[in-house]
Each structure stands twice: as C-alpha cells, then as structure tokens.
Amino acid sequence: AGNCIQTDFDCFTQIKDQYANDLKGGFLKWVNGKDVHYHPGIRTIVLQNEPDLKFFPMSNTSRFCKAMVSAFDGVLEAEKGAGVGGKDFTGHLPNITVTFSFAVCMDCHIPGTMHLPAIGQMLALRKAMEDPSSVGYKARNDLWKAYKTRFENSFNTANPASDIKPLFLDMYDEHFQ
C-alpha cells in the first residue's frame, strides 16, 4: 500500500494492518480464550507525534488532518476485527491522541488562534473528525462518536511552564471545555 504520502495521505490501510499486529502482539489479552480486553498498562494510544511537522507543507492542514482521520479510522477498524467492543470485550478502551507541535498554524484560519501554538491544529483536526469529507476522506466508522468519547488532545513543547497558560490554556478552555 505504500506509506501515507504515497496513498494521498490516506493512512487507513497501513494503520489498520499495523495496529491489528499490535493488538495481536500484546496490546490485547484474552482470558479463557474468549474474553478480550486491552492490557491494563495501555491507557493512551498516540496515533502520531507532530503530524503537523511531518506532512509537509504545514500550510496545508488538510494533509495532516486527512492522515490522522484515516489513521484513527484504521485503529477503530483493527479493533473491530479483533473483537474490541464486541460481546466478549471486557475492560477499558484506551484514549487516542495526536500529539501536535507547539507551533502556530498559519493555515488553520480559526479566528483568535493565528498567534497561538497548537490550538489551530487541534481545532482543524476536530473539524475533520466531525466531517471527514471536508479533507477528502470517507470514513468506515463513526469517527465523531469515537472522537467525543476517546480522543484527548496533546502537544509537545520546550516552553517554560509560565508560557502555557497565556499561550495555550486560556484559548484551549474557550474551545474545548
């Protein structure tokens, strides 16, 4: 299938296949050969670290959003294939995240966020999760429902803690709380 760039930023097949292997390789545990649950040490799955810097150019948000929406869909499909959420599933479902850089997204065009790091990327991804067709993707699963129940935002930064509230948390609370 090639990498996500070679498949026009549609990562569904690559992630579904890889995540199915991860599930079989230890992410899931079976009790008595049928009751399936996630390993208790797995609380959050990171789909990608800093996709906003990896799927160039950053000025094209639909690229990293399509890649992450299709990757999320691939994870959900792999879980379905392994019986996660089925009648024999017990235990918790881990959260899913995309860890964004602490860069400013100049292409996100969301009023009030043009000078703030990470917020624009998170809002652009949320919009794509709600409407995958907005980034040219046809979802196989209910991504919006899964986003609302399992997704958590995250970012990386080397900024001092004193920067986080004025540069991120105040606006984050306005949009996500």
Side-chain angles (χ1 to χ4, degrees):
N3 66 41
C4 293
I5 294 171
Q6 293 169 328
T7 56
D8 192 29
F9 304 96
D10 183 339
C11 303
F12 176 84
T13 300
Q14 299 91 324
I15 298 302
K16 178 181 69 80
D17 293 347
Q18 180 59 52
Y19 200 68
N21 287 332
D22 293 340
L23 293 171
K24 291 175 197 165
F27 281 24
L28 293 180
K29 297 182 84 165
W30 284 264
V31 178
N32 302 324
K34 68 173 194 159
D35 293 332
V36 61
H37 61 272
Y38 266 95
H39 188 285
I42 297 176
R43 295 285 178 216
T44 302
I45 303 295
V46 179
L47 287 178
Q48 172 116 39
N49 185 50
E50 299 182 341
D52 48 326
L53 300 182
K54 292 181 174 75
F55 294 105
F56 290 105
M58 185 179 171
S59 63
N60 189 340
T61 58
S62 65
R63 287 182 174 180
F64 72 75
C65 286
K66 181 179 180 181
M68 294 302 94
V69 165
S70 60
F72 191 36
D73 203 18
V75 165
L76 297 175
E77 195 71 13
E79 286 181 338
K80 262 196 318 195
V84 172
K87 67 178 182 66
D88 292 328
F89 182 77
T90 58
H92 76 284
L93 289 170
N95 289 329
I96 309 286
T97 192
V98 171
T99 303
F100 286 108
S101 72
F102 208 58
V104 173
C105 181
M106 300 307 288
D107 186 54
C108 293
H109 306 296
I110 297 162
T113 68
M114 295 297 284
H115 64 287
L116 300 172
I119 294 288
Q121 294 94 306
M122 291 175 182
L123 289 169
L125 182 59
R126 181 174 70 181
K127 179 182 174 197
M129 290 288 188
E130 186 174 14
D131 179 13
S133 68
S134 70
V135 293
Y137 182 71
K138 183 171 176 28
R140 292 149 177 94
N141 294 283
D142 187 345
L143 299 183
W144 184 235
K145 179 182 177 186
Y147 176 88
K148 291 188 297 185
T149 58
R150 294 181 63 188
F151 196 85
E152 61 184 27
N153 287 308
S154 61
F155 64 90
N156 288 325
T157 186
N159 287 52
S162 59
D163 285 354
I164 304 306
K165 185 176 182 330
L167 290 179
F168 181 80
L169 292 176
D170 292 339
M171 186 59 75
Y172 185 88
D173 288 347
E174 188 176 312
H175 288 282
F176 289 99
Q177 298 300 319

PDB file of all heavy atoms in Angstrom, residues 31-49:
ATOM      1  N   VAL A  31      -8.773 -13.902  27.947  1.00  0.00           N
ATOM      2  CA  VAL A  31      -8.936 -14.716  29.150  1.00  0.00           C
ATOM      3  C   VAL A  31      -9.869 -15.877  28.777  1.00  0.00           C
ATOM      4  O   VAL A  31     -10.927 -15.657  28.190  1.00  0.00           O
ATOM      5  CB  VAL A  31      -9.542 -13.881  30.301  1.00  0.00           C
ATOM      6  CG1 VAL A  31      -9.755 -14.737  31.536  1.00  0.00           C
ATOM      7  CG2 VAL A  31      -8.660 -12.682  30.608  1.00  0.00           C
ATOM      8  N   ASN A  32      -9.454 -17.090  29.122  1.00  0.00           N
ATOM      9  CA  ASN A  32     -10.250 -18.290  28.803  1.00  0.00           C
ATOM     10  C   ASN A  32     -10.519 -18.407  27.306  1.00  0.00           C
ATOM     11  O   ASN A  32     -11.560 -18.923  26.897  1.00  0.00           O
ATOM     12  CB  ASN A  32     -11.573 -18.297  29.578  1.00  0.00           C
ATOM     13  CG  ASN A  32     -11.361 -18.249  31.073  1.00  0.00           C
ATOM     14  OD1 ASN A  32     -10.399 -18.834  31.582  1.00  0.00           O
ATOM     15  ND2 ASN A  32     -12.238 -17.571  31.778  1.00  0.00           N
ATOM     16  N   GLY A  33      -9.624 -17.857  26.491  1.00  0.00           N
ATOM     17  CA  GLY A  33      -9.744 -17.980  25.050  1.00  0.00           C
ATOM     18  C   GLY A  33     -10.811 -17.132  24.401  1.00  0.00           C
ATOM     19  O   GLY A  33     -10.960 -17.147  23.193  1.00  0.00           O
ATOM     20  N   LYS A  34     -11.580 -16.363  25.175  1.00  0.00           N
ATOM     21  CA  LYS A  34     -12.632 -15.576  24.535  1.00  0.00           C
ATOM     22  C   LYS A  34     -12.768 -14.157  25.082  1.00  0.00           C
ATOM     23  O   LYS A  34     -12.940 -13.240  24.317  1.00  0.00           O
ATOM     24  CB  LYS A  34     -13.975 -16.284  24.574  1.00  0.00           C
ATOM     25  CG  LYS A  34     -14.584 -16.429  25.946  1.00  0.00           C
ATOM     26  CD  LYS A  34     -15.988 -16.987  25.853  1.00  0.00           C
ATOM     27  CE  LYS A  34     -16.670 -16.792  27.201  1.00  0.00           C
ATOM     28  NZ  LYS A  34     -18.090 -16.837  27.114  1.00  0.00           N
ATOM     29  N   ASP A  35     -12.750 -13.948  26.375  1.00  0.00           N
ATOM     30  CA  ASP A  35     -12.908 -12.602  26.916  1.00  0.00           C
ATOM     31  C   ASP A  35     -11.693 -11.768  26.524  1.00  0.00           C
ATOM     32  O   ASP A  35     -10.572 -12.067  26.916  1.00  0.00           O
ATOM     33  CB  ASP A  35     -13.040 -12.623  28.443  1.00  0.00           C
ATOM     34  CG  ASP A  35     -14.325 -13.279  28.898  1.00  0.00           C
ATOM     35  OD1 ASP A  35     -15.308 -13.230  28.138  1.00  0.00           O
ATOM     36  OD2 ASP A  35     -14.338 -13.839  30.001  1.00  0.00           O
ATOM     37  N   VAL A  36     -11.909 -10.725  25.767  1.00  0.00           N
ATOM     38  CA  VAL A  36     -10.817  -9.904  25.264  1.00  0.00           C
ATOM     39  C   VAL A  36     -10.839  -8.539  25.950  1.00  0.00           C
ATOM     40  O   VAL A  36     -11.912  -7.978  26.181  1.00  0.00           O
ATOM     41  CB  VAL A  36     -10.885  -9.766  23.717  1.00  0.00           C
ATOM     42  CG1 VAL A  36     -12.170  -9.095  23.266  1.00  0.00           C
ATOM     43  CG2 VAL A  36      -9.691  -9.028  23.175  1.00  0.00           C
ATOM     44  N   HIS A  37      -9.662  -8.056  26.300  1.00  0.00           N
ATOM     45  CA  HIS A  37      -9.551  -6.721  26.866  1.00  0.00           C
ATOM     46  C   HIS A  37      -8.155  -6.172  26.588  1.00  0.00           C
ATOM     47  O   HIS A  37      -7.224  -6.922  26.304  1.00  0.00           O
ATOM     48  CB  HIS A  37      -9.867  -6.704  28.364  1.00  0.00           C
ATOM     49  CG  HIS A  37      -8.951  -7.563  29.187  1.00  0.00           C
ATOM     50  ND1 HIS A  37      -9.190  -8.897  29.429  1.00  0.00           N
ATOM     51  CD2 HIS A  37      -7.787  -7.276  29.816  1.00  0.00           C
ATOM     52  CE1 HIS A  37      -8.223  -9.393  30.172  1.00  0.00           C
ATOM     53  NE2 HIS A  37      -7.357  -8.442  30.421  1.00  0.00           N
ATOM     54  N   TYR A  38      -8.034  -4.852  26.639  1.00  0.00           N
ATOM     55  CA  TYR A  38      -6.735  -4.218  26.477  1.00  0.00           C
ATOM     56  C   TYR A  38      -5.851  -4.528  27.677  1.00  0.00           C
ATOM     57  O   TYR A  38      -6.332  -4.657  28.802  1.00  0.00           O
ATOM     58  CB  TYR A  38      -6.880  -2.690  26.363  1.00  0.00           C
ATOM     59  CG  TYR A  38      -6.958  -2.197  24.939  1.00  0.00           C
ATOM     60  CD1 TYR A  38      -8.189  -1.985  24.323  1.00  0.00           C
ATOM     61  CD2 TYR A  38      -5.807  -1.930  24.210  1.00  0.00           C
ATOM     62  CE1 TYR A  38      -8.262  -1.524  23.015  1.00  0.00           C
ATOM     63  CE2 TYR A  38      -5.870  -1.476  22.909  1.00  0.00           C
ATOM     64  CZ  TYR A  38      -7.095  -1.276  22.320  1.00  0.00           C
ATOM     65  OH  TYR A  38      -7.167  -0.821  21.027  1.00  0.00           O
ATOM     66  N   HIS A  39      -4.569  -4.620  27.419  1.00  0.00           N
ATOM     67  CA  HIS A  39      -3.596  -4.766  28.503  1.00  0.00           C
ATOM     68  C   HIS A  39      -3.800  -3.588  29.459  1.00  0.00           C
ATOM     69  O   HIS A  39      -3.953  -2.435  29.020  1.00  0.00           O
ATOM     70  CB  HIS A  39      -2.175  -4.754  27.936  1.00  0.00           C
ATOM     71  CG  HIS A  39      -1.143  -5.075  28.956  1.00  0.00           C
ATOM     72  ND1 HIS A  39      -0.749  -4.170  29.921  1.00  0.00           N
ATOM     73  CD2 HIS A  39      -0.446  -6.214  29.175  1.00  0.00           C
ATOM     74  CE1 HIS A  39       0.158  -4.728  30.688  1.00  0.00           C
ATOM     75  NE2 HIS A  39       0.370  -5.969  30.258  1.00  0.00           N
ATOM     76  N   PRO A  40      -3.825  -3.820  30.765  1.00  0.00           N
ATOM     77  CA  PRO A  40      -4.111  -2.731  31.708  1.00  0.00           C
ATOM     78  C   PRO A  40      -3.078  -1.606  31.700  1.00  0.00           C
ATOM     79  O   PRO A  40      -3.373  -0.507  32.160  1.00  0.00           O
ATOM     80  CB  PRO A  40      -4.158  -3.431  33.064  1.00  0.00           C
ATOM     81  CG  PRO A  40      -3.514  -4.749  32.871  1.00  0.00           C
ATOM     82  CD  PRO A  40      -3.644  -5.111  31.431  1.00  0.00           C
ATOM     83  N   GLY A  41      -1.901  -1.848  31.157  1.00  0.00           N
ATOM     84  CA  GLY A  41      -0.882  -0.802  31.102  1.00  0.00           C
ATOM     85  C   GLY A  41      -1.066   0.179  29.960  1.00  0.00           C
ATOM     86  O   GLY A  41      -0.358   1.178  29.872  1.00  0.00           O
ATOM     87  N   ILE A  42      -2.029  -0.087  29.082  1.00  0.00           N
ATOM     88  CA  ILE A  42      -2.255   0.798  27.926  1.00  0.00           C
ATOM     89  C   ILE A  42      -3.428   1.712  28.222  1.00  0.00           C
ATOM     90  O   ILE A  42      -4.574   1.269  28.303  1.00  0.00           O
ATOM     91  CB  ILE A  42      -2.495  -0.025  26.653  1.00  0.00           C
ATOM     92  CG1 ILE A  42      -1.240  -0.851  26.334  1.00  0.00           C
ATOM     93  CG2 ILE A  42      -2.851   0.891  25.485  1.00  0.00           C
ATOM     94  CD1 ILE A  42      -1.393  -1.775  25.166  1.00  0.00           C
ATOM     95  N   ARG A  43      -3.136   2.969  28.397  1.00  0.00           N
ATOM     96  CA  ARG A  43      -4.170   3.968  28.702  1.00  0.00           C
ATOM     97  C   ARG A  43      -4.414   4.934  27.551  1.00  0.00           C
ATOM     98  O   ARG A  43      -5.506   5.448  27.386  1.00  0.00           O
ATOM     99  CB  ARG A  43      -3.788   4.772  29.953  1.00  0.00           C
ATOM    100  CG  ARG A  43      -3.733   3.936  31.196  1.00  0.00           C
ATOM    101  CD  ARG A  43      -5.125   3.621  31.639  1.00  0.00           C
ATOM    102  NE  ARG A  43      -5.080   2.778  32.827  1.00  0.00           N
ATOM    103  CZ  ARG A  43      -5.948   1.820  33.055  1.00  0.00           C
ATOM    104  NH1 ARG A  43      -6.907   1.591  32.227  1.00  0.00           N
ATOM    105  NH2 ARG A  43      -5.857   1.090  34.128  1.00  0.00           N
ATOM    106  N   THR A  44      -3.372   5.215  26.764  1.00  0.00           N
ATOM    107  CA  THR A  44      -3.482   6.158  25.648  1.00  0.00           C
ATOM    108  C   THR A  44      -2.637   5.659  24.486  1.00  0.00           C
ATOM    109  O   THR A  44      -1.498   5.251  24.675  1.00  0.00           O
ATOM    110  CB  THR A  44      -3.010   7.570  26.055  1.00  0.00           C
ATOM    111  OG1 THR A  44      -3.793   8.023  27.163  1.00  0.00           O
ATOM    112  CG2 THR A  44      -3.162   8.559  24.913  1.00  0.00           C
ATOM    113  N   ILE A  45      -3.202   5.731  23.292  1.00  0.00           N
ATOM    114  CA  ILE A  45      -2.501   5.387  22.061  1.00  0.00           C
ATOM    115  C   ILE A  45      -2.210   6.687  21.322  1.00  0.00           C
ATOM    116  O   ILE A  45      -3.122   7.491  21.086  1.00  0.00           O
ATOM    117  CB  ILE A  45      -3.369   4.477  21.162  1.00  0.00           C
ATOM    118  CG1 ILE A  45      -3.781   3.201  21.898  1.00  0.00           C
ATOM    119  CG2 ILE A  45      -2.681   4.198  19.832  1.00  0.00           C
ATOM    120  CD1 ILE A  45      -2.655   2.278  22.263  1.00  0.00           C
ATOM    121  N   VAL A  46      -0.951   6.912  20.977  1.00  0.00           N
ATOM    122  CA  VAL A  46      -0.562   8.093  20.198  1.00  0.00           C
ATOM    123  C   VAL A  46      -0.567   7.696  18.727  1.00  0.00           C
ATOM    124  O   VAL A  46       0.240   6.864  18.303  1.00  0.00           O
ATOM    125  CB  VAL A  46       0.836   8.619  20.611  1.00  0.00           C
ATOM    126  CG1 VAL A  46       1.217   9.828  19.778  1.00  0.00           C
ATOM    127  CG2 VAL A  46       0.871   8.944  22.096  1.00  0.00           C
ATOM    128  N   LEU A  47      -1.486   8.273  17.956  1.00  0.00           N
ATOM    129  CA  LEU A  47      -1.535   7.970  16.526  1.00  0.00           C
ATOM    130  C   LEU A  47      -0.283   8.466  15.812  1.00  0.00           C
ATOM    131  O   LEU A  47       0.260   7.782  14.968  1.00  0.00           O
ATOM    132  CB  LEU A  47      -2.755   8.622  15.872  1.00  0.00           C
ATOM    133  CG  LEU A  47      -4.109   8.014  16.163  1.00  0.00           C
ATOM    134  CD1 LEU A  47      -5.202   8.813  15.463  1.00  0.00           C
ATOM    135  CD2 LEU A  47      -4.167   6.560  15.747  1.00  0.00           C
ATOM    136  N   GLN A  48       0.139   9.680  16.144  1.00  0.00           N
ATOM    137  CA  GLN A  48       1.336  10.249  15.528  1.00  0.00           C
ATOM    138  C   GLN A  48       1.828  11.395  16.382  1.00  0.00           C
ATOM    139  O   GLN A  48       1.041  12.143  16.953  1.00  0.00           O
ATOM    140  CB  GLN A  48       1.032  10.758  14.123  1.00  0.00           C
ATOM    141  CG  GLN A  48       2.172  11.533  13.497  1.00  0.00           C
ATOM    142  CD  GLN A  48       2.736  10.869  12.280  1.00  0.00           C
ATOM    143  OE1 GLN A  48       1.997  10.319  11.494  1.00  0.00           O
ATOM    144  NE2 GLN A  48       4.034  10.919  12.114  1.00  0.00           N
ATOM    145  N   ASN A  49       3.129  11.522  16.430  1.00  0.00           N
ATOM    146  CA  ASN A  49       3.758  12.646  17.093  1.00  0.00           C
ATOM    147  C   ASN A  49       4.055  13.726  16.048  1.00  0.00           C
ATOM    148  O   ASN A  49       4.732  13.455  15.063  1.00  0.00           O
ATOM    149  CB  ASN A  49       5.057  12.189  17.769  1.00  0.00           C
ATOM    150  CG  ASN A  49       5.691  13.292  18.569  1.00  0.00           C
ATOM    151  OD1 ASN A  49       5.038  13.939  19.378  1.00  0.00           O
ATOM    152  ND2 ASN A  49       6.974  13.523  18.342  1.00  0.00           N
TER     153      ASN A  49
END
